[in-house]
Amino acid sequence: MAKHKGRGWHGRLLAAALGVTAVAAATSVWTAQADTTGGRQPQARASAPANGPAGKVAEDIAHASDRGARGVNITIDDGPDPTWTPQVLQLLKENGVKATFCMVGTQAQAHPDLVKAVVAGGHRLCDHTVSHDTAMDHKSEAYQSQQILDAERMITKASGGVRPQYYRAPGGAFTPYSRHLAASRGMRPLGWNVDTKDFEHPGVAAIVATVKSEISNGPTILFHDAGGDRAETLAALREVLPWLKEQGYTFGFPVR
């Protein structure tokens, strides 16, 4: 998976989140124990949400749709955002589409009303870490644990108790450790097949063309509802969603 680059918003978000994660670290403890093959397996010791983890799921990165060969998964990253998320939700509702929202922990914490609106709309939640650090795969296991588990806690609290069902590493920066930890919390690691690169503002036509030309690569399409002006994303979705229906695709969720 290609790393997302040139996203200054996430650098500022990471800096802003340092205080949050520092406080959270004081109340959570993470350890790791070596496995018999010499690798590292995480053993999380953190306060679990009231409804607890949903049970271990597969550790490999999911791409497939639960609707089968003609299924499509719409995934929306980096929010929620008070300007763009409500507009995305309205557009999805108008088209009868359910999506998976990969939320940044600090954004969820700041906008719990939007997290609840996502859940009320029948969409699913995904843990996208506390601060969207695309270099997570070069950081310590303790740091990875903090980013994943604290975001899980933030999103669950903001939603009113609904837990994330997936974990998407920022920029695809997965590690065996982070995949194992997420899966042990009931969050299936989630990849993508079509990167619209909407965060680069390539223009509506380019976003639409990317979906049309790359949907044959697989069903999971990556869009964004935060991190800057998402007007192009909205306009592209208005074209893409009806087009996918015309091609005989149905909308589902990533497999778990």
Side-chain angles (χ1 to χ4, degrees):
M1 294 181 187
K3 294 294 183 78
H4 292 169
K5 298 183 182 297
R7 302 175 70 178
W9 176 80
H10 291 113
R12 295 192 297 272
L13 179 61
L14 176 58
L18 288 177
V20 175
T21 56
V23 172
T27 58
S28 301
V29 178
W30 298 272
T31 61
Q33 295 179 338
D35 64 17
T36 57
T37 62
R40 303 284 288 179
Q41 293 187 352
Q43 180 177 333
R45 292 205 300 263
S47 297
N51 56 347
K56 194 176 186 300
V57 295
E59 296 181 18
D60 59 308
I61 299 171
H63 295 88
S65 173
D66 64 3
R67 298 302 294 271
R70 298 298 289 178
V72 170
N73 307 320
I74 301 297
T75 64
I76 314 289
D77 282 21
D78 297 0
D81 179 272
T83 298
W84 303 108
T85 302
Q87 295 182 67
V88 170
L89 286 171
Q90 181 59 35
L91 184 57
L92 293 171
K93 181 178 180 180
E94 291 170 359
N95 285 272
V97 174
K98 305 302 181 187
T100 300
F101 284 77
C102 299
M103 296 186 174
V104 173
T106 50
Q107 292 292 107
Q109 186 177 61
H111 307 289
D113 56 327
L114 295 179
V115 182
K116 292 179 175 68
V118 167
V119 172
H123 309 287
R124 289 186 181 178
L125 302 175
C126 171
D127 181 331
H128 204 33
T129 74
V130 172
S131 53
H132 201 284
D133 182 355
T134 58
M136 273 187 62
D137 52 342
H138 298 294
K139 303 294 178 64
S140 69
E141 291 176 355
Y143 177 84
Q144 295 176 57
S145 297
Q146 182 182 58
Q147 287 286 309
I148 294 167
L149 297 181
D150 283 352
E152 178 194 17
R153 175 181 55 79
M154 292 174 180
I155 294 167
T156 301
K157 181 177 180 181
S159 72
V162 179
R163 299 183 63 259
Q165 297 191 42
Y166 307 93
Y167 164 65
R168 174 174 276 168
F174 289 99
T175 66
Y177 179 92
S178 67
R179 290 191 289 106
H180 180 91
L181 176 60
S184 74
R185 299 290 301 171
M187 298 183 292
R188 179 73 182 268
L190 176 59
W192 62 82
N193 305 103
V194 181
D195 185 353
T196 65
K197 294 184 170 61
D198 59 339
F199 59 88
E200 295 180 351
H201 304 287
V204 176
I207 296 172
V208 173
T210 295
V211 174
K212 290 183 176 181
S213 64
E214 296 185 13
I215 190 62
S216 59
N217 294 341
T220 303
I221 309 175
L222 173 60
F223 294 97
H224 297 80
D225 64 342
D229 189 324
R230 297 274 73 90
E232 289 183 3
T233 301
L234 285 166
L237 281 167
R238 289 191 185 95
E239 292 188 42
V240 164
L241 298 180
W243 179 83
L244 288 168
K245 289 181 181 179
E246 291 170 1
Q247 305 307 305
Y249 290 102
T250 57
F251 297 95
F253 294 110
V255 295
R256 298 185 73 250

